[in-house]
Amino acid sequence: MGAELKDEAWVASLVARVGMAAREFLLQQELPIEGLGLRIQFAMGVESARVAWIELHVLLPAGFPESEREALLRVVEHCTVHQSTREAPEVRIELVSRGRAA
């Protein structure tokens, strides 16, 4: 798997979680989910090995009520993956040999 594909997989996790949050919101509000979609663009950093920016559009079903837009935006902006990109978690990496107790 090439580096670019791995980066796309990471970004796809954000897209998937935002999509799930949007779908759950629509179902809870008893709104139709047909036509719900996502469109994404992102770019890698020029001088660092990181995603520089992500632009995600939630495509709303036809007839989506204007009165629900703000609530839906709050829901998708507060999904776990999105929050983790806003405030980076502490990440610890350890190398562990197989067959040896840690």
Side-chain angles (χ1 to χ4, degrees):
M1 183 182 292
E4 189 172 300
L5 186 55
K6 290 177 185 176
D7 297 330
E8 289 174 358
W10 181 81
V11 172
S13 70
L14 171 63
V15 175
R17 188 58 192 108
V18 166
M20 289 172 54
R23 183 179 186 279
E24 290 166 4
F25 176 87
L26 294 176
L27 291 173
Q28 288 173 353
Q29 300 302 315
E30 298 181 352
L31 295 168
I33 60 172
E34 185 176 325
L36 177 65
L38 301 164
R39 183 174 38 221
I40 187 160
Q41 292 182 310
F42 73 97
M44 298 302 296
V46 176
E47 297 182 20
S48 62
R50 62 182 293 276
V51 174
W53 59 266
I54 301 170
E55 185 175 286
L56 176 59
H57 294 175
V58 177
L59 308 174
L60 301 174
F64 185 83
E66 188 68 31
S67 61
E68 296 293 336
R69 289 176 79 97
E70 190 175 318
L72 175 57
L73 184 59
R74 276 195 311 270
V75 166
V76 297
E77 286 184 337
H78 287 89
C79 80
T80 305
V81 178
H82 187 226
Q83 288 300 316
S84 296
T85 63
R86 288 183 162 195
E87 186 175 327
E90 180 180 333
V91 177
R92 286 172 272 198
I93 300 173
E94 293 182 41
L95 303 178
V96 179
S97 298
R98 290 189 175 270
R100 295 187 183 198

